[in-house]
Amino acid sequence: MTRKPLLFLKDILSAIERIESYTRNGKSEFLNSSSLQDATLFRLQTISSDQAHRRFSSIKVAIAKSLFLVHKMIKSEYLFQVTIKKAIAQVF
């Protein structure tokens, strides 16, 4: 039995609301909490699931951009932390 498209949209909306709640306290808290990162990535996977892609192909680009931005944010913060650690090591 197939689900109605409206139910998939409700799942997507619920995932977006949860992501907003997970990231509400800012970038620093998000980056310091692996559980918040895992939960956010899980919800992004819910949004980008194969079922959602088949039913709502017009949102693929927006989903891909969201995933890319989250990845880029995590990567840039990691590189920043590595650079700071190296700078501190050189000073001390």
Side-chain angles (χ1 to χ4, degrees):
M1 181 171 185
T2 61
R3 293 177 72 201
K4 294 181 180 181
L6 184 58
L7 294 176
F8 285 104
L9 287 175
K10 286 182 179 181
D11 290 344
I12 290 169
L13 179 60
S14 174
I16 291 169
E17 290 169 345
R18 287 181 181 221
I19 289 170
E20 288 174 340
S21 73
Y22 301 153
T23 58
R24 184 170 286 131
N25 293 326
K27 182 178 177 179
S28 180
E29 182 176 326
F30 175 79
L31 293 173
N32 289 321
S33 173
S34 61
S35 59
L36 286 176
Q37 293 171 27
D38 290 346
T40 300
L41 291 174
F42 176 78
R43 295 301 167 189
L44 287 170
Q45 289 172 340
T46 299
I47 292 170
S48 65
S49 73
D50 187 49
Q51 292 279 349
H53 276 248
R54 279 190 244 143
R55 297 201 183 317
F56 309 106
S57 61
S58 64
I59 62 170
K60 285 182 182 179
V61 172
I63 292 168
K65 285 181 181 178
S66 296
L67 290 170
F68 175 75
L69 291 174
V70 168
H71 171 74
K72 187 176 176 181
M73 178 182 74
I74 292 169
K75 183 179 175 182
S76 68
E77 184 65 24
Y78 171 77
L79 292 174
F80 175 75
Q81 290 177 358
V82 168
T83 303
I84 293 298
K85 286 178 183 177
K86 286 180 182 177
I88 290 172
Q90 289 177 356
V91 171
F92 297 102

